[in-house]
Amino acid sequence: MTAFIRRWLTHEASSGVLLIVAALAALIMANSPARLTYDAALYFPQAGAHGASLNLLAFINDGLMALFFLLIGLEVKRELLQGALASRAQAAFPAIAALGGMIAPAILFMLVNRSAPANHAGWAIPTATDIAFAVGVLALLGKRVPASLKAFLLALAIIDDLGAIIIIALFYNHNLSLAALAGAGVMIAIMLLMNRRNISHPGLYLLAGVALWGCVLLSGIHATLAGVIAGGLIPLSLPGRAYSPALVLEHRLQPWVIYLILPLFAFANAGVSLQGLKPASLLSLLPAGIAAGLILGKPVGIMIFCYLSVRLRMARLPDGVIMGQIAAAAVLCGIGFTMSIFIAGLAFGTGAGNEQLTLAKLGILSGSAISAIAGYLVLRRVLPVSAVLVRGDE
């Protein structure tokens, strides 16, 4: 049994399966007699001494998710310096694709919601791609997926996450505190000095990162952005040494983020109660705009930008990949889930009984589910089977 669990945990689809299980468990609890227990646990305790929200949900979304963003920061730095984004030629195609995949969903959302100003804060919700889910669906197709197509999707998703982080920093902050921002600047300077002195212990960078997180939390900018900044400030290599603090920390963090933090986030945020919602509400502008942005906006934006970039010779297709396969992978990018839910909480708040947030989550869940199923079916149709048959004959 232990060997089976170990093999399953190392499978690429395991992270996506865990997210699905956690989300389904939350949906079941939120629409059953266990709803009161579910809500009571998430919103306990109700408020701090000064009315601040210090409940379990805030701890997960503002605290634990900072580690997820730290992992993103580490991955982005590694890809930029040593990986799929290390050169302009490598980075151009997925970067252009990601840009189209962010612009088109936002435009489509705003077109659907043009007559509902109260919903406009959610324009960025359908711009995100969930790496774990997308890679999990790809893993279901096994060796039929070309390595270059998988690398393209991973690079696109990483750039997409970076774009979402920039959007959060620019558009989802409030009541900025200059003193706290100054404190954050001091911590960034300290981490840069640690880099200059070739300090290698990851724990020291984490300690400085916690202080940075505290300053950013008080600044009015969302605290999880401190994770990305800290990840970018941890050295990937040291002069004359094979040891990499960033790689060590990335490898240590990855299982905790994938198998605990993200499923916990899904469980805490996917519990959408349908009680009291009218059928007309489920088809209202907010969820319709989000679902349309994910299902249609994402693949259409990616494909238009990809096609134009190739025709205008701004970028070229990855080796061994045709445009039809890019189009199929673009459908998978409509799986928003983790980052989309995160942005929805910033746009509409996370309080209990928040109807706008509930409707936004319905749009995210339905759009992501349809994109996952459609992406799998389209990829299964366009990917070659000859490689699998040859291996089977051998």
Side-chain angles (χ1 to χ4, degrees):
M1 178 63 77
T2 304
F4 169 78
I5 293 174
R6 189 180 298 113
R7 285 197 303 273
W8 182 80
L9 288 176
T10 56
H11 195 279
E12 289 179 318
S14 60
S15 56
V17 171
L18 278 176
L19 285 177
I20 292 172
V21 170
L24 287 176
L27 282 170
I28 291 170
M29 288 192 71
N31 293 279
S32 72
R35 177 189 174 191
L36 293 178
T37 303
Y38 177 80
D39 286 343
L42 290 181
Y43 294 100
F44 176 84
Q46 290 298 319
H50 302 288
S53 223
L54 299 173
N55 49 48
L56 178 61
L57 182 62
F59 173 72
I60 294 169
N61 290 352
D62 296 341
L64 292 182
M65 284 297 283
L67 294 175
F68 165 68
F69 282 90
L70 172 60
L71 185 61
I72 288 178
L74 292 168
E75 289 177 343
V76 168
K77 182 170 186 175
R78 174 171 50 79
E79 293 295 335
L80 284 172
L81 296 180
Q82 297 179 353
L85 306 176
S87 70
R88 182 189 176 280
Q90 288 175 299
F93 192 66
I96 292 170
L99 184 62
M102 288 184 282
I103 292 174
I107 292 174
L108 187 54
F109 174 88
M110 292 301 288
L111 287 174
V112 173
N113 287 272
R114 62 187 181 279
S115 60
N119 296 339
H120 289 179
W123 65 271
I125 294 172
T127 63
T129 296
D130 191 291
I131 296 177
F133 264 130
V135 172
V137 174
L138 272 188
L140 297 176
L141 294 161
K143 295 179 180 179
R144 292 177 60 183
V145 182
S148 52
L149 181 63
K150 181 180 175 182
F152 162 76
L153 184 62
L154 285 171
L156 189 157
I158 288 172
I159 297 169
D160 201 304
D161 278 345
L162 190 58
I165 290 162
I166 293 171
I167 288 171
I168 291 170
L170 294 177
F171 299 101
Y172 293 98
N173 51 61
H174 53 87
N175 300 327
L176 294 180
S177 166
L178 294 181
L181 284 174
V186 170
M187 294 314 305
I188 291 172
I190 289 173
M191 295 184 76
L192 287 171
L193 182 61
M194 292 167 66
N195 268 266
R196 293 287 299 272
R197 295 297 180 90
N198 296 323
I199 293 176
S200 61
H201 199 296
L204 294 177
Y205 286 98
L206 278 180
L207 188 62
V210 170
L212 175 62
W213 175 85
C215 292
V216 175
L217 178 68
L218 297 173
S219 72
I221 298 174
H222 200 271
T224 50
L225 297 178
V228 180
I229 297 170
L233 293 175
I234 297 173
L236 185 62
S237 60
L238 296 170
R241 298 180 61 181
Y243 177 78
S244 169
L247 286 179
V248 168
L249 188 56
E250 183 180 340
H251 291 153
R252 289 178 181 174
L253 273 179
Q254 199 167 50
W256 290 99
V257 170
I258 291 174
Y259 301 119
L260 177 63
I261 293 174
L262 287 182
L264 192 58
F265 174 83
F267 179 75
N269 289 275
V272 180
S273 175
L274 303 179
Q275 298 177 25
L277 285 180
K278 300 175 182 178
S281 298
L282 306 180
L283 300 174
S284 61
L285 296 179
L286 181 56
I290 292 171
L294 292 171
I295 299 167
L296 298 176
K298 269 288 186 181
V300 169
I302 289 171
M303 279 310 301
I304 289 175
F305 274 57
C306 284
Y307 176 77
L308 290 176
S309 70
V310 172
R311 287 299 300 267
L312 298 175
R313 302 184 183 277
M314 297 169 62
R316 61 180 178 84
L317 283 168
D319 294 336
V321 174
I322 61 175
M323 193 62 79
Q325 294 169 348
I326 295 292
V331 178
L332 275 186
C333 293
I335 307 174
F337 201 72
T338 303
M339 193 68 81
S340 292
I341 290 177
F342 190 84
I343 294 174
L346 298 180
F348 301 119
T350 56
N354 186 329
E355 185 174 350
Q356 269 190 307
L357 181 61
T358 297
L359 293 174
K361 288 180 180 180
L362 285 174
I364 294 166
L365 294 175
S366 59
S368 296
I370 292 171
S371 295
I373 295 169
Y376 172 78
L377 294 176
V378 176
L379 275 168
R380 187 177 179 182
R381 184 176 181 83
V382 302
L383 289 176
V385 296
S386 56
V388 178
L389 294 176
V390 170
R391 287 185 177 89
D393 293 337
E394 290 175 351

